[in-house]
Every structure is written in C-alpha cells, then in structure tokens.
Amino acid sequence: MEGNRSMHRILALLALVAFAPPALAEGDLKTTLTPTDLGRLAQFQKARADAIEEARKEGDAADVKVLDAILAGEEQPIRGLDIRGNYRCRVAKLGGIGHLVTYDWFACKIGEDDIGYRLEKTSGSQRLSGHFIDDSETGLIFYGADHYADEAPKKYNEDPERNDVGRLVKVGEDRYRLELPLPFLESMFDILELKKH
C-alpha cells in the first residue's frame, strides 16, 4: 500500500515536471551584455523620464493619446508566467528626431529555443528579436538585435550597433510593454506594446 502511494507521488511529480513551462529567462547580465548595453540599462529611468517629457510636450496630440494608452497600466508580477504566444504589437519612438512617432499594429510572437523564451517582431520594415534574463518579480531584461525585413534576424552583439536592450513588464491581462532605452537610431526611448491574441 505504502509502495503504491510512493509510486503515485513520483508519477504526479513527473507529470508536473513534464507539463511545467520552460525556464522563463536565464543568464547573467554582467556576462551576457556588453558594457555599452549595461550602461544603457543604468540610464533607463532618466532616459525614460526625459523621453516621455519631450514626447508629451512636443508630440502631435493624436500621438500623445496613443502614448498615454501604451503607458497605461501598473507593473504586475511576471516571474514564472508562461508568456509564449502570438501578439499584436505597436511601437512608440520617444524623443530625438521626431519627438514622438507612433505606429499601427504589427505582428510579434514569443516562442522558445535552446536559450529560453524568444521574442520576435515578425512584420513591418524594422524588426527585432531576442531573449530575456530574469531581473525581478515584475520585470525581465531583454537583449536582442534589430534587423530589417529584407535581412535575416541578427544575434545579439553580431553587430553592436544593432543591439537592443530593455525591460519587459506585464501591465494588464495578456498585455506587456517592452521598454528600450537609448536606441542607436532615431529616438531616445522606444516602447513596444504587446497584446496577446
């Protein structure tokens, strides 16, 4: 009888392991990211605040309305969630040349590979892809690279001037924001809003 109970417990544990989501985000910031990208993350809060201020002050009213919708929602726990799936995503570019530029919806997906969860923006002329590192209960660090629609996706640091680094947060039911400080082109701060289909 006791042997049967032990076997049932073992089978139950094996079932939990078999159906558990994969590791959400693994890695170490200091060994994964370049010093330049660690520096961009260190300036995250200031870059964000300055870019939002400029965007709201100088941006077109219609774009500011879109930005306010993107920024709505408080950070929620993300650690341990299964975030895989297909998403609608839209980009806001804050600060810099255009002050504030917002785009319509594109397609994104979060899948997995041998590194872990992988985000890909799969439509539009400017695309990105990359992975995550666990940062806190409410945030994941993203590291990846930009590429254009007519190029194959690039690996992080394949071309350092294409590197992206930022933070993914959950801000609603099946809704997330990827916030990217100090991109190399066009703006001071980019935000990719993702809504799961």
Side-chain angles (χ1 to χ4, degrees):
M1 192 71 156
E2 184 59 39
N4 283 342
R5 282 197 196 117
S6 294
M7 183 57 70
H8 285 278
R9 279 197 292 267
I10 291 168
L11 290 173
L13 285 171
L14 288 172
L16 282 173
V17 170
F19 293 103
L24 183 62
E26 295 181 352
D28 177 74
L29 290 180
K30 290 183 180 177
T31 58
T32 303
L33 302 185
T34 67
T36 297
D37 291 336
L38 288 170
R40 289 201 279 176
L41 283 179
Q43 299 177 71
F44 183 96
Q45 293 298 343
K46 183 178 185 334
R48 186 182 196 275
D50 290 350
I52 290 173
E53 181 180 4
E54 179 182 330
R56 285 187 168 145
K57 183 178 177 183
E58 305 290 344
D60 179 81
D63 286 327
V64 171
K65 187 174 180 181
V66 172
L67 175 62
D68 287 341
I70 290 172
L71 291 173
E74 298 298 318
E75 292 185 15
Q76 301 174 15
I78 193 172
R79 181 176 283 159
L81 293 182
D82 185 346
I83 58 173
R84 292 172 295 180
N86 294 314
Y87 293 82
R88 295 188 312 141
C89 54
R90 61 180 173 178
V91 177
K93 292 179 173 286
L94 289 64
I97 297 169
H99 302 302
L100 174 61
V101 180
T102 62
Y103 294 86
D104 206 347
W105 296 98
F106 296 103
C108 289
K109 68 178 180 180
I110 298 178
E112 59 182 297
D113 61 16
D114 58 342
I115 296 176
Y117 283 179
R118 177 179 171 82
L119 167 66
E120 296 177 83
K121 182 175 178 286
T122 58
S123 68
S125 59
Q126 294 181 335
R127 304 183 183 188
L128 61 73
S129 61
H131 297 90
F132 302 98
I133 296 173
D134 192 16
D135 181 50
S136 70
E137 189 66 29
T138 59
L140 304 176
I141 297 300
F142 172 81
Y143 65 99
D146 291 323
H147 68 281
Y148 295 103
D150 61 350
E151 298 176 317
K154 294 186 176 295
K155 293 180 180 178
Y156 175 75
N157 214 34
E158 181 179 337
D159 176 350
E161 293 191 359
R162 298 283 192 95
N163 283 357
D164 287 312
V165 65
R167 189 164 180 265
L168 181 75
V169 294
K170 177 178 170 64
V171 291
E173 183 67 29
D174 290 329
R175 183 171 164 260
Y176 301 84
R177 275 197 312 262
L178 177 62
E179 303 189 355
L180 304 157
L182 304 172
F184 287 112
L185 295 175
E186 299 175 351
S187 54
M188 290 170 52
F189 199 90
D190 290 351
I191 303 174
L192 179 69
E193 180 186 27
L194 301 106
K195 290 186 177 181
K196 202 173 212 177
H197 285 305

